Amino acid sequence: MNNPALWRALQGGLIAFWLLAIVAPILKLNLPWLDTLAILIFVAHVLEVPLAMSRLRHSGVSTARITIRTLVYGFTWWLPVQKGVIKG
């Protein structure tokens, strides 16, 4: 879990997921599960924000950066930042 490449790969997977969630309706792809999964992941990330704030409060990372990155990446961003595996 101390491998920055692992965390970056997980973050890349989330970026690919969010792009698919945005593009699928535009391309009229029939993926009925995608909306539900996107909502569940986003709600989970919203619920993670207070935890990320408490864990990174004294790290020098701005509140805005913590909020935005947690909403996009969830624990795949704030956990390795907390552990010092990647920079905030």
Side-chain angles (χ1 to χ4, degrees):
M1 299 302 280
N2 290 327
N3 183 355
L6 168 68
W7 294 107
R8 296 295 185 203
L10 292 170
Q11 292 169 2
L14 278 164
I15 291 294
F17 172 78
W18 291 125
L19 288 173
L20 178 62
I22 292 167
V23 171
I26 296 168
L27 298 178
K28 297 184 179 168
L29 298 176
N30 186 17
L31 303 171
W33 53 269
L34 186 61
D35 291 340
T36 303
L37 186 58
I39 290 167
L40 289 173
I41 290 173
F42 187 74
V43 167
H45 288 181
V46 167
L47 294 173
E48 284 181 64
V49 170
L51 181 59
M53 292 286 189
S54 70
R55 298 288 175 96
L56 300 178
R57 181 177 307 139
H58 302 294
S59 67
V61 181
S62 72
T63 301
R65 187 175 185 91
I66 293 171
T67 302
I68 292 167
R69 296 253 173 155
T70 302
L71 290 175
V72 174
Y73 301 115
F75 78 89
T76 68
W77 178 76
W78 64 261
L79 186 60
V81 170
Q82 177 193 7
K83 292 180 175 222
V85 176
I86 62 175
K87 284 185 79 173

